[in-house]
Amino acid sequence: MPKKARDGTDTCGLLEYLYGPGKRDEHVDPHMVAAWDPYVDDPARSPDMTLSDLALILDAPVYALMGAKPKQHVYHVAVRNAPTDRILSDEEWAKVAREMMHAAGIAPHGDDQGCRWVAVRHADDHIHIVATKAREDSRQPNLRQDIVKMQQAARRFEAEFGLRQLTHGDHTAQRWRKAGELEKAERRGLAEAPRVTLQRTVREAAAVATGDADFFARLGGAGLRVRQRFAPDGNVTGYSVALPGDRNGQQQPVWFSGARLAPDLSLPRVRERWQGPALRSSAGSAGAWRVAEEKVRAAADQLGAGGLHQGAGDVAALGDLIVVAAVISPRLVRDQMRQAAYEFERASRAPAVRETQGQARELYRESTQVLSQSVASVGRNDAAAALGFLLALVTAVEASRTWHEAQEHRAQASAAGRAGRLLREAVEVTAGASAAREYRPRAKRTSGRAGSARRPAAAAGMRPMAGVVQEAVPEHARAIVADPAWPALRTRLLEIEQAGEDPVEVLTTVVARREITSAESVAEVLTWRLDGWKKQRSSSVAASGKGAAAASAGGSPGRAGPPRPSGVRGPVRRPPGDEPNQGPARGR
């Protein structure tokens, strides 16, 4: 991913930064991987070359110009890998640097009169290329559409090196956060850049709004500063938002228009969402999830059936539904849902004009309104009721991925795939939590005969977890142990054993909750279910601990009273369904 920085005038200063420790000691082993001349010494490797010497050599053609010299002669490009890509070698990065300089017009292949340049690497995932904009023959380089040509070269390297392949030029990607925004957020102690917070908040408001007034009221209610743009006739033609406390160097609010936040958050695109009759729903918590599930399943069968433009509208409505579902999802899986909404954002923007009508779009919009209007009841931590809806959402996202692949929308299909994986994780975590909620451990048998030999219990962590898997799921045991996700599953089983529970019983219980034969990785699915199990059991223990603390303080939670006298037996509390038929036990 090549990114061109602003041109400059200080070659030596830029080299000192690239070879230095960085702003936060993030530069590791700075060294040169390529240059216009293969015999140029690297200042990091040779005592005969200093940074000042290298800067003078690079600037020599600029000083030799007889006519007007460029005002800003330093050309700077950073080329970065995606976080999921493998680490390239110095030789591969050198090949990338030479090709980028050829594509940009700085140093075309076979032209020994090109500009001088060097490529410096101080991290695993990127290089910096520094060049001076003066050719050896005293002419200016042809830099017309340099960044476009470098992007095209990058797409070829992605295929050649087996890296993550991006799509360029469909105008659906969100804008990258600038380094200054990230550094400013870090200084203020914010978890994310203000642009990210604004984008998420505006998207959540747009997904459930029913008109202009409702939309702007929701933005204000979320705590944002809102500024509307009016036409001479008084109509609203645009808007900008700012985060309270986010100011520039002149102490003025930093405003972002909707279009700067994301391509589909401009006011005309936002207004497309509420073209249609509003739906009123009186469904309760479980009822709302069930109604939304039915509509999502029906919409998944109809997605894209009306052609390209209707499909673009369908995936946009599906994106809004995932955003709303993430807001009101059970606390147990809220992190996965929010990340899924973030990943699906690119998939919701198809590179085509979207229609505002269509059966699937209407069903998705109705599902969104059902959930948003039932937020008071849906917002309860009802993971069991939401499980069916999450399964339907997985089906819908998979249908959108298939549709994008058919339209050759590579970036959107990849985004839908990542969102689908997160939703599948949410499904399995929910299933594990449901199993834990209904779990009743079997009573352990103890021998009552005197002198009978008892087998000593194995210490926590001593039982082989491969044997646990063999006992609980014998038909999948060999595949699970050979799976790359087995170490994570083994860790979860050890944690369960150390918590005092029988890992065989627990694993058998979560396996029986839902089928696992269709899973690509059974070990990964079981790991997710055990995560849900652990979260549910932890919350149950915490709740029981609060109740016990309240009881020990002299009464039940929420009721104050004097402590019972010592020696007086209190009422026996039994679990529901375990009440005896006879009266109270006689005191001895």
Side-chain angles (χ1 to χ4, degrees), residues 312-373:
D314 294 345
V315 295
L318 176 57
D320 287 342
L321 173 60
I322 299 176
V323 167
V324 173
V327 173
I328 63 175
S329 59
R331 192 163 45 251
L332 197 71
V333 294
R334 194 163 294 165
D335 289 342
Q336 289 91 342
M337 292 296 295
R338 284 178 173 172
Q339 188 62 27
Y342 174 81
E343 291 291 353
F344 193 80
E345 179 190 329
R346 181 72 184 274
S348 68
R349 293 193 292 267
V353 178
R354 58 186 185 185
E355 289 185 1
T356 59
Q357 303 296 327
Q359 187 174 359
R361 177 184 173 85
E362 292 303 317
L363 288 170
Y364 286 138
R365 288 291 296 161
E366 290 173 6
S367 302
T368 301
Q369 293 174 9
V370 165
L371 295 182
S372 62
Q373 292 169 11

Side-chain angles (χ1 to χ4, degrees), residues 199-215:
Q199 184 191 66
R200 183 178 59 254
T201 307
V202 172
R203 188 172 298 282
E204 291 172 359
V208 297
T210 57
D212 281 17
D214 186 26
F215 174 59

Side-chain angles (χ1 to χ4, degrees), residues 454-472:
R454 291 187 179 181
R455 185 175 60 183
M462 298 299 293
R463 175 189 259 177
M465 292 299 114
V468 169
V469 173
Q470 179 64 42
E471 187 174 349

